Amino acid sequence: MTKMCIAAAICCLPMGLMAQKGFTINGKVGTLDAPATAFLSYTEGGKSVRDSVVLHKGSFRFTGQVSAPVQALLVVKRDTVTVSKKVRPDDLYFYLENADITVTAVDSVTHAVVKGSASNEEDNELNRLQKPYRKTADSLMKAYYAKTVEERKDSAFKKAAGAVQQQSQDGFDSVSRKFIVNHPNSYIALRTFANFETGYNFNPDTAAVRFSRLSPELQNSSLGKKIAGMIETGRKTRAGVIAQDFTQPDTTGKQVKLSDYRGRYVLVDFWASWCKPCRAENPNVLAAYHKFQQKNFTVLGVSLDEGRGAWLHAVAQDSLPWTQVSDLKGFESPAAVLYGVKAIPSNFLIDPTGKIVATNLRGEELEKKLGALLSM
């Protein structure tokens, strides 16, 4: 997985804490009149909510209530004529919370000014802090795609680009974490925390310490409780603890237990046929398997596929000789939930006593770790 994910880390952050009353949105877009219509959409309690109102002399109003801050989309359509897909819609993403909010624009809601939402202001503050690093990342990507395939392989270019990428990522991470520290009561900070501290390959102990610095209100919120659960799961699946047992059917329907592998080193490899990084990593796992299978090592593949045909086809296509299991429930698989797997490829190396000794080993790292363990 690449670290050049700055743009992805910025989008879709929900808003800050809110009062118990409902929200009111008072909008004004020039002097637009009927049939111009404003459309509001957001998600509440896992369900999509949509509302609309016709503008009168540019004005419109929405009311409602949300149980937690949420990102909302406001769209203004000037008439009933279908707009070409090539024309950018007149829309605005903003953060909706239970407060009195105003949305004001001269001619286009896309350029509207939003006031009254503390969360929206906090999100804007965070984006301003992150902007220089996003700009550097964007420039780096443009430079990368401007190169020919051969130029991209040039070692000097790769080294220079890698250094800039790392510096940009480090700066982005630094200002984001500083924002969390400086806003212990902000729901934006809580969502940012979720992105940075409970992501792929996170450290549950470090996350727990930093999570404890957030306000009790945030910790006891719905999202806060979810994060606390993720930290607890992380502690149960880190190196040094006994691996939790699970049972799943193999390709023939036979039930296979993880505990069946006691007495051997086993790499529990979570993957799926549709996961390109997983398929790219399979040859590395296969090489490690052939190199160490005579030294008390094997692999247990746990597929997060939902279709049996695609799963079996991928197993055959990639020539994977070890036992494969799947309940075809995707990320809802009890095994994936038990191990806190939210991104793949993901793996856990377990020793003969059933203890996890390493996680998320890739390529040369896998062979190096196995070499060290099996030469003892």
Side-chain angles (χ1 to χ4, degrees):
M1 297 179 69
T2 178
K3 291 199 74 178
M4 189 50 63
C5 57
I6 290 180
I10 325 267
C11 68
C12 302
L13 290 176
M15 295 176 50
L17 290 175
M18 41 175 205
Q20 294 302 310
K21 67 174 185 177
F23 66 79
T24 299
I25 302 173
N26 286 302
K28 186 77 164 63
V29 183
T31 58
L32 290 177
D33 223 323
T37 304
F39 298 86
L40 178 69
S41 59
Y42 56 94
T43 298
E44 165 61 20
K47 296 181 179 180
S48 178
V49 178
R50 298 178 184 275
D51 199 358
S52 64
V53 62
V54 175
L55 275 69
H56 178 64
K57 294 183 179 180
S59 298
F60 61 89
R61 179 185 176 92
F62 290 104
T63 60
Q65 188 173 39
V66 288
S67 58
V70 63
Q71 188 181 49
L73 172 63
L74 180 64
V75 179
V76 171
K77 292 186 178 180
R78 285 162 167 70
D79 52 43
T80 58
V81 178
T82 301
V83 180
S84 170
K85 292 183 179 180
K86 295 182 180 180
V87 178
R88 189 188 187 286
D90 190 11
D91 60 11
L92 172 71
Y93 283 97
F94 69 105
Y95 297 92
L96 180 62
E97 58 185 331
N98 291 333
D100 294 325
I101 302 170
T102 61
V103 179
T104 309
V106 175
D107 56 0
S108 170
V109 74
T110 297
H111 305 117
V113 175
V114 179
K115 292 184 178 181
S117 166
S119 300
N120 207 71
E121 293 171 3
E122 289 166 353
D123 181 72
N124 289 337
E125 178 186 349
L126 177 60
N127 284 333
R128 283 193 296 271
L129 293 171
Q130 296 171 332
K131 186 176 180 179
Y133 305 102
R134 294 201 307 270
K135 186 175 181 181
T136 299
D138 290 342
S139 297
L140 183 61
M141 292 306 294
K142 288 180 181 178
Y144 176 81
Y145 285 112
K147 299 285 186 180
T148 64
V149 174
E150 289 303 317
E151 288 174 330
R152 294 173 190 172
K153 295 179 180 179
D154 179 72
S155 59
F157 170 73
K158 291 171 66 176
K159 183 177 180 180
V164 173
Q165 173 186 330
Q166 189 61 57
Q167 184 179 29
S168 179
Q169 188 74 51
D170 289 345
F172 182 86
D173 293 352
S174 177
V175 297
S176 300
R177 289 194 166 98
K178 187 175 294 185
F179 176 88
I180 296 171
V181 172
N182 293 337
H183 297 78
N185 299 307
S186 167
Y187 205 81
I188 289 289
L190 182 65
R191 293 298 301 186
T192 306
F193 179 93
N195 286 338
F196 282 88
E197 302 296 348
T198 64
Y200 190 76
N201 210 20
F202 80 105
N203 184 318
D205 292 328
T206 300
V209 171
R210 293 173 177 171
F211 184 64
S212 69
R213 296 169 184 161
L214 295 174
S215 71
E217 290 77 15
L218 286 179
Q219 293 182 45
N220 290 319
S221 68
S222 177
L223 176 59
K225 292 177 180 179
K226 183 177 181 180
I227 291 173
M230 294 170 66
I231 292 173
E232 183 61 25
T233 297
R235 284 176 159 166
K236 292 179 179 178
T237 56
R238 63 184 173 185
V241 303
I242 296 297
Q244 302 171 93
D245 202 10
F246 64 84
T247 303
Q248 287 201 2
D250 66 10
T251 56
T252 67
K254 177 185 176 182
Q255 296 296 318
V256 176
K257 291 184 178 180
L258 174 59
S259 55
D260 293 340
Y261 289 83
R262 285 291 178 90
R264 286 181 287 176
Y265 281 95
V266 57
L267 183 73
V268 180
D269 185 33
F270 289 89
W271 72 294
S273 66
W274 47 262
C275 170
K276 291 184 179 180
C278 301
R279 303 293 294 275
E281 185 63 25
N282 277 344
N284 296 325
V285 179
L286 188 61
Y289 174 80
H290 286 311
K291 185 174 182 178
F292 296 102
Q293 64 172 321
Q294 300 302 321
K295 296 184 178 182
N296 204 32
F297 169 72
T298 190
V299 179
L300 174 63
V302 183
S303 170
L304 300 189
D305 276 284
E306 295 183 17
R308 180 177 174 81
W311 168 41
L312 297 182
H313 177 73
V315 171
Q317 190 173 52
D318 292 359
S319 301
L320 307 181
W322 50 82
T323 298
Q324 294 284 343
V325 298
S326 181
D327 54 17
L328 303 178
K329 294 181 180 180
F331 282 97
E332 298 302 315
S333 166
V337 173
L338 189 65
Y339 279 77
V341 176
K342 297 184 180 301
I344 50 177
S346 182
N347 61 47
F348 299 83
L349 181 60
I350 301 171
D351 74 6
T353 69
K355 183 174 66 177
I356 298 173
V357 293
T359 62
N360 293 324
L361 296 170
R362 301 281 178 268
E364 294 181 357
E365 291 183 357
L366 176 57
E367 289 200 20
K368 184 177 179 180
K369 183 67 175 180
L370 289 172
L373 289 171
L374 298 178
S375 63
M376 296 170 60

